[in-house]
């Protein structure tokens, strides 16, 4: 995992205090609004981050997404994605 931290399935990710998840109606896409920066999210990234509320652990997030997207490789991809965002400091 280049640039990502190891992710424990019991970790309960939440957006960092300085990060806001917003939906841009004009672009019809989700955004992460950071101090002095905006990150445009692609694909299902917004759906994943909406589950990062500090109450759901990584295992529950993966299970929810697997039920919503049968056959998708969420068990492999979601922990890596969350680890990358944690390494950026966007998730606690």
């Amino acid at each position: 995992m280049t640039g990502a931290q190891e992710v424990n399935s019991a970790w309960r990710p939440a957006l960092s205090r300085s990060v806001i998840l917003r939906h841009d109606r004009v672009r019809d896409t989700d955004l992460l609004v950071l101090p002095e920066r905006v990150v445009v999210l692609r694909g299902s990234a917004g759906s994943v981050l909406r589950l990062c509320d500090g109450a759901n652990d990584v295992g529950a997030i993966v299970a929810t997404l697997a039920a919503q997207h049968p056959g998708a490789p969420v068990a492999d991809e979601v922990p890596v994605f969350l680890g990358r965002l944690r390494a950026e400091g966007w998730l606690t």
Side-chain angles (χ1 to χ4, degrees):
M1 282 194 289
T2 304
Q5 298 176 358
E6 191 69 28
V7 173
N8 182 320
S9 64
W11 171 44
R12 296 178 185 275
L15 292 176
S16 295
R17 289 184 158 230
S18 61
V19 178
I20 300 169
L21 176 62
R22 288 223 170 111
H23 185 77
D24 182 339
R25 291 183 208 156
V26 173
R27 297 182 207 168
D28 192 30
T29 192
D30 292 311
L31 309 171
L32 279 182
V33 181
L34 309 146
E36 302 183 24
R37 185 173 180 190
V38 174
V39 177
V40 178
L41 300 174
R42 306 236 184 263
S44 59
S47 298
V48 174
L49 291 176
R50 279 187 189 78
L51 296 171
C52 295
D53 57 6
N56 294 308
D57 63 26
V58 173
I61 292 169
V62 167
T64 298
L65 293 168
Q68 292 173 354
H69 307 282
V74 296
D76 295 328
E77 294 178 0
V78 170
V80 172
F81 173 68
L82 295 176
R84 286 184 181 144
L85 295 188
R86 180 191 239 177
E88 288 287 340
W90 302 343
L91 290 174
T92 60

